[in-house]
Amino acid sequence: MITTNDFYKVMCAMVPLYFAMLIAYGSVKWWRIFTPQQCSGINRFVAVFAVPVLSFHFIAQNNPYQMDTKFILADTLSKVLVLVLLSVWAIFFKGGLDWLITLFSVATLPNTLVMGIPLLGAMYGEFTQSLMVQLVVLQCIIWYTLLLFLFEYRAATVLIQTQFPGPAAASIAKFELDNDVISLDGRDPLKTESETDGNGRIRVRIRRSTSSAPDSALSSSICLTPRASNLSNAEIFSINTPAPLHDYHYNSNNEIVFWGSATSPRLSNYASSDAYSLQPTPRASNFNEMDAVTVMTATTPTWARSPVAGKVFRNPSPVVPGGRMVWDSPGKYQGDRQAGKDAPEKEISFRDSSKIPMPDEAESKEAGTNQKMPHALVMLRLILTVVGRKLSRNPNTYSSVLGVLWSLISFKWNVGMPSLVKYSIKIISDAGLGMAMFSLGLFMALQPRIIACGAKRATMGMAIRFICGPIIMSAASFAVGLKSVKLHAAIVQAALPQGIVPFVFAREYGLHPDILSTGVIFGMLVSLPVTLLYYIFLGL
């Protein structure tokens, strides 16, 4: 039976975290203390130092030789069960890979590090810290890597379908990636170059449109120094921030044409807020986008032509529904700025989760029905390469691996951490939980809406997160024989709010970021009363 003292202990553990989030929210929303740029700097500290050091601190203190096998098995079984059920639904009932990834993220990946450790510790005792740390290690090393693999597989599949439609893709024998291609998520424009040998096998080179060996004509028209983009997921981001408008006029077809020379028709340069990835603070890019032409029509597609790659990207217009955006060489329009109606001939956007009809839709349908893919080993090498590159730039990868290695050494030979190192880590890790919640508050304040995906999808997401997740965990826990307090801890852990890392991936790859954003923001608000209800119900 839950007593008043037990309830008070839980509130003492959680109220300070929500207080930090509330202070951050008010600092931006009400008191205007921080600008978006300053929020990005705070979030960068959380991403690079606070949370990775906090993660290392917990993992290094956990004894890997005394891990709870049943607890870990129950958690693993629940995730595998969800993945199998979603795979069957996606394959045999045409649910699709996109929804498989999103629903798996919502159902199985809670915010264990920031919320789970203090909450479960207050509810069931200090021994749950070890259990939560074990789950954090598995999340960082296995489940987030698997999720990243699925996202990259989706991006690679769409890239191949758009660049090599029909049976041609089956002849691809090798992919080569330039060193500056970190991911296929579409955040940077990519170019593909292919060569065919005498046996009909295709070798494909994937490079950023601003990477080595730029087109000579382009090199002479724009003098830019290529560098990796610094707009990334370590920054605070509003998923509905509109792009700025520039000068406009009406062309001969009574279409509104917008002209701009310094900015592209894109969303805010503040990317998703998360304390789990290493990316620079936003600044002005040296990427010269030349003259941008935006043509507003009554049609739904939005087209954008990369001035460097000469390729076409499409996204719904961030400003006017039914807008069409075209980028092209400024020389092409110097004599006639009404030429914006020229439609690009081919799309290579691979960030969209919905199909938008293109002018050559009829021609592409025939190729799409006969779409082939490269050999499985060729695809596997490509995806493992980009996944490895992305993980190598994530500070949590290093903190988790180093924490595990140190704990293996420390508890095997009873080696203590030097006091100089121990207290240097402690002073940062002590601020980790508070700063992580503060960062979440900043993120919430910069969003135009708490429920970004609509009431229906938000309800679906909350039901999956707070009802289906605990039910599946309960079934898995009973199956492996988990009982008593550990069973209760496993169920409450499954009812924690949505993890932030899945939202970061969803925003980066353009796959239902509104659903994951709502899960993070609204889930944080409702998670405390929901977990308290589970706590009270399980304690009866």
Side-chain angles (χ1 to χ4, degrees):
M1 184 69 181
I2 305 301
T3 66
T4 305
N5 186 53
D6 295 330
F7 180 80
Y8 182 73
K9 285 173 60 180
V10 174
M11 298 306 293
C12 286
M14 299 310 298
V15 168
L17 295 179
Y18 279 88
F19 178 75
M21 186 173 70
L22 179 64
I23 289 295
Y25 182 87
S27 298
V28 175
K29 201 75 171 181
W30 304 326
W31 308 316
R32 311 292 181 184
I33 296 176
F34 299 115
T35 65
Q37 291 86 351
Q38 292 169 335
C39 292
S40 182
I42 295 171
N43 197 60
R44 179 165 166 75
F45 167 77
V46 175
V48 178
F49 295 108
V51 168
V53 173
L54 176 67
S55 179
F56 174 84
H57 174 72
F58 281 128
I59 295 173
Q61 289 184 338
N62 182 62
N63 189 344
Y65 302 103
Q66 296 180 358
M67 298 182 73
D68 193 304
T69 307
K70 285 188 177 180
F71 194 86
I72 294 175
L73 185 59
D75 180 76
T76 303
L77 182 60
S78 67
K79 290 178 170 59
V80 171
L81 180 61
V82 170
L83 190 59
V84 170
L85 291 176
L86 290 176
S87 299
V88 171
W89 172 69
I91 295 172
F92 297 102
F93 298 94
K94 298 182 179 179
L97 178 62
D98 291 3
W99 282 107
L100 183 152
I101 296 172
T102 300
L103 295 179
F104 177 76
S105 302
V106 173
T108 64
L109 298 174
N111 194 346
T112 307
L113 177 64
V114 176
M115 292 289 293
I117 292 177
L119 178 62
L120 272 296
M123 287 181 174
Y124 299 110
E126 292 298 325
F127 80 95
T128 57
Q129 175 177 312
S130 176
L131 299 178
M132 295 300 104
V133 170
Q134 293 168 27
L135 298 187
V136 169
V137 173
L138 293 179
Q139 277 188 353
C140 292
I141 296 178
I142 297 177
W143 300 114
Y144 289 155
T145 303
L146 173 63
L147 188 64
L148 182 60
F149 185 93
L150 293 175
F151 273 111
E152 289 292 349
Y153 173 77
R154 171 184 175 270
T157 299
V158 180
L159 173 63
I160 292 170
Q161 289 174 348
T162 52
Q163 292 295 286
F164 302 93
S171 301
I172 298 176
K174 184 179 181 182
F175 285 99
E176 295 180 356
L177 284 83
D178 281 10
N179 293 331
D180 57 355
V181 177
I182 308 303
S183 173
L184 304 178
D185 58 13
R187 294 177 64 82
D188 297 316
L190 299 177
K191 294 183 69 172
T192 58
E193 300 172 350
S194 59
E195 296 179 358
T196 306
D197 61 16
N199 297 323
R201 293 175 299 184
I202 302 175
R203 181 175 64 86
V204 178
R205 178 192 177 194
I206 301 176
R207 64 184 180 90
R208 290 179 57 203
S209 61
T210 57
S211 66
S212 57
D215 297 335
S216 58
L218 189 66
S219 302
S220 60
S221 62
I222 60 169
C223 297
L224 60 88
T225 303
R227 71 181 179 209
S229 171
N230 62 357
L231 303 177
S232 63
N233 60 20
E235 300 138 13
I236 304 295
F237 168 79
S238 172
I239 61 174
N240 294 315
T241 304
L245 296 181
H246 295 271
D247 297 335
Y248 64 90
H249 67 275
Y250 288 89
N251 64 11
S252 57
N253 295 326
N254 201 30
E255 298 170 329
I256 306 175
V257 181
F258 294 90
W259 294 88
S261 59
T263 59
S264 63
R266 65 187 179 195
L267 295 178
S268 167
N269 65 336
Y270 300 111
S272 53
S273 103
D274 183 40
Y276 298 89
S277 58
L278 172 59
Q279 299 290 353
T281 304
R283 62 178 178 230
S285 173
N286 66 351
F287 182 76
N288 187 349
E289 292 169 334
M290 299 182 293
D291 284 340
V293 184
T294 306
V295 182
M296 299 302 173
T297 68
T299 58
T300 53
T302 298
W303 300 332
R305 182 185 293 270
S306 166
V308 179
K311 302 296 184 180
V312 179
F313 296 85
R314 61 168 194 204
N315 271 310
S317 171
V319 182
V320 181
R324 183 178 67 168
M325 296 180 288
V326 182
W327 296 356
D328 215 319
S329 171
K332 182 175 180 179
Y333 300 102
Q334 286 176 355
D336 183 8
R337 287 200 167 187
Q338 298 174 1
K341 61 184 179 181
D342 292 345
E345 297 180 354
K346 187 177 182 181
E347 66 166 302
I348 66 166
S349 172
F350 46 94
R351 298 191 62 190
D352 298 339
S353 58
S354 59
K355 183 65 179 173
I356 300 177
M358 298 296 289
D360 56 349
E361 186 76 16
E363 301 175 5
S364 63
K365 279 185 178 179
E366 183 178 353
T369 56
N370 195 30
Q371 178 67 49
K372 302 294 183 181
M373 297 299 291
H375 193 274
L377 290 178
V378 177
M379 289 288 291
L380 183 62
R381 281 195 295 267
L382 170 65
I383 297 170
L384 289 179
T385 299
V386 291
V387 168
R389 291 183 180 183
K390 196 142 190 175
L391 289 176
S392 68
R393 286 160 174 79
N394 190 330
N396 260 347
T397 302
Y398 298 100
S399 66
S400 300
V401 172
L402 290 176
V404 171
L405 291 177
W406 174 254
S407 63
L408 289 171
I409 296 172
S410 175
F411 288 96
K412 178 69 173 179
W413 290 288
N414 197 25
V415 178
M417 186 177 294
S419 297
L420 186 65
V421 177
K422 178 181 178 180
Y423 290 110
S424 297
I425 293 174
K426 186 176 183 299
I427 197 171
I428 300 296
S429 65
D430 286 347
L433 284 177
M435 288 302 300
M437 294 298 291
F438 194 88
S439 178
L440 281 173
L442 297 178
F443 168 66
M444 292 174 60
L446 291 175
Q447 304 307 307
R449 292 180 298 170
I450 292 179
I451 301 178
C453 61
K456 183 177 180 180
R457 287 189 172 184
T459 304
M460 177 191 72
M462 295 301 103
I464 293 173
R465 171 72 265 154
F466 295 113
I467 299 177
C468 296
I471 290 175
I472 295 173
M473 175 59 79
S474 302
S477 299
F478 282 118
V480 301
L482 205 61
K483 299 178 181 179
S484 187
V485 177
K486 291 183 180 179
L487 173 63
H488 298 172
I491 296 174
V492 174
Q493 180 272 149
L496 293 173
Q498 177 65 53
I500 310 173
V501 174
F503 164 67
V504 173
F505 289 159
R507 205 222 65 83
E508 284 186 345
Y509 292 87
L511 181 60
H512 305 137
D514 53 347
I515 295 178
L516 275 298
S517 172
T518 302
V520 171
I521 299 174
F522 192 63
M524 287 295 299
L525 299 178
V526 303
S527 64
L528 183 57
V530 169
T531 50
L532 284 174
L533 287 175
Y534 274 108
Y535 179 52
I536 295 170
F537 174 77
L538 293 171
L540 294 177

